[in-house]
Amino acid sequence: MMDASKGLVKLRHETSEIRLHASNTVIQQLDLLESAYSKLVDESNNLLASMPQLVKSNSGELLQLLQAPLLEEAIKVEYIKAELINQMRLELEEI
């Protein structure tokens, strides 16, 4: 959990410099990325908090149920990241 939180702080730190020079579109996508990453960290924490229950129940169905929101957020983060990279490349080509 600490690594995930450190990752979120690192993301915010690294994107703060980009925000100084970025277009509004890139800034909006950075905001979306930070929000989605934050939700991903929250979902990871929820899954970790549920681990004792998962171990006791030994239920694959419960594991899948608890993993679903985490996987959904992970897919969202990757999509936003890809869109952000594409937008930044387009803007760099214009320069």
Side-chain angles (χ1 to χ4, degrees):
M1 288 192 310
M2 287 180 55
D3 287 342
S5 295
K6 286 179 186 178
L8 183 57
V9 170
K10 182 180 176 184
L11 174 68
R12 288 183 176 147
H13 176 70
E14 290 176 353
T15 59
S16 65
E17 174 96 16
I18 294 170
R19 289 174 186 279
L20 295 173
H21 309 286
S23 68
N24 288 336
T25 304
V26 169
I27 291 171
Q28 288 172 347
Q29 288 179 323
L30 286 171
D31 290 342
L32 284 173
L33 181 62
E34 285 183 16
S35 175
Y37 192 82
S38 179
K39 287 179 185 176
L40 181 62
V41 169
D42 291 343
E43 291 297 336
S44 296
N45 291 341
N46 289 340
L47 183 60
L48 287 173
S50 301
M51 289 306 275
Q53 181 184 2
L54 287 171
V55 170
K56 285 181 183 178
S57 71
N58 197 23
S59 170
E61 289 177 16
L62 182 58
L63 177 61
Q64 287 178 340
L65 181 67
L66 293 172
Q67 279 181 332
L70 179 63
L71 295 174
E72 214 172 277
E73 284 303 318
I75 290 168
K76 185 188 279 186
V77 165
E78 287 301 315
Y79 176 78
I80 294 168
K81 184 175 139 186
E83 289 295 311
L84 177 60
I85 290 169
N86 288 335
Q87 182 64 35
M88 290 176 79
R89 284 182 179 157
L90 284 173
E91 291 182 14
L92 284 172
E93 287 176 6
E94 291 175 3
I95 296 174

